[in-house]
Amino acid sequence: MKKVIYLALLATIYSCSSNNNEDILKYTNDTTLGLSRVNLKTVAEKVSADKVLKEKKNIHNEQKLFLELVNKPKESGINVDKPLYIIVDPGKSNTDNEPNIKAYFEIDDKTKFQKSMSDITRTKVTIDKKDFIYVDGLLTGSIKGKEAILTK
């Protein structure tokens, strides 16, 4: 469950390559459980992350991560002018209770993305020459043009 929360929180910082909802449908199928669209710029404007972090003493690590991501979305190397899409599919097997969560977004600056995501998540996020995204050495996603998709 911790991984699901981690990826959902990580996904909130991402945005999509266009406002055309047709783009996202190519990543869904008949078994898709949910699809959410998030405007990161609006969330960042409405949530006072600094205030929450200062006032709340019993915030869990996952909640702190979310607030850090929302606090500075423009510094992430991600295009916050586009919506974020989160896709939830069933787990890979009938005995797998954890859903498969994917994030679809647009990257403006790969170097900023790697650094900010590594700093915020306290993991090593890298993008290789073929535009595959790795988190702590595990293949987690890929980039095509400016479009990126991550999965757990």
Side-chain angles (χ1 to χ4, degrees), residues 7-19:
L7 188 57
L9 296 176
L10 183 63
T12 61
I13 196 155
Y14 306 123
S15 45
C16 182
S17 66
S18 79
N19 288 328

Side-chain angles (χ1 to χ4, degrees), residues 55-118:
E55 290 179 3
K56 301 289 182 182
K57 302 297 180 205
N58 59 345
I59 297 178
H60 299 290
N61 285 340
E62 290 86 3
Q63 294 167 328
K64 285 181 185 176
L65 173 64
F66 171 74
L67 290 169
E68 288 176 20
L69 293 173
V70 169
N71 198 29
K72 297 180 182 176
K74 290 182 182 178
E75 290 82 4
S76 68
I78 295 165
N79 185 348
V80 297
D81 292 323
K82 304 288 183 175
L84 150 78
Y85 289 96
I86 300 171
I87 306 161
V88 181
D89 289 323
K92 295 182 189 219
S93 70
N94 291 338
T95 59
D96 186 3
N97 291 330
E98 289 194 35
N100 181 15
I101 300 174
K102 296 178 270 191
Y104 178 73
F105 56 95
E106 185 177 292
I107 293 180
D108 281 339
D109 186 317
K110 293 176 190 177
T111 304
K112 280 185 179 180
F113 172 78
Q114 288 180 122
K115 181 171 180 359
S116 69
M117 291 299 102
S118 294

Side-chain angles (χ1 to χ4, degrees), residues 4-44:
V4 172
I5 293 170
Y6 169 78
L7 188 57
L9 296 176
L10 183 63
T12 61
I13 196 155
Y14 306 123
S15 45
C16 182
S17 66
S18 79
N19 288 328
N20 181 353
N21 291 327
E22 294 295 317
D23 291 344
I24 194 63
L25 294 178
K26 62 186 170 188
Y27 296 104
T28 63
N29 58 47
D30 292 341
T31 62
T32 297
L33 300 172
L35 174 64
S36 295
R37 180 179 167 160
V38 178
N39 182 330
L40 286 176
K41 189 182 267 187
T42 302
V43 171

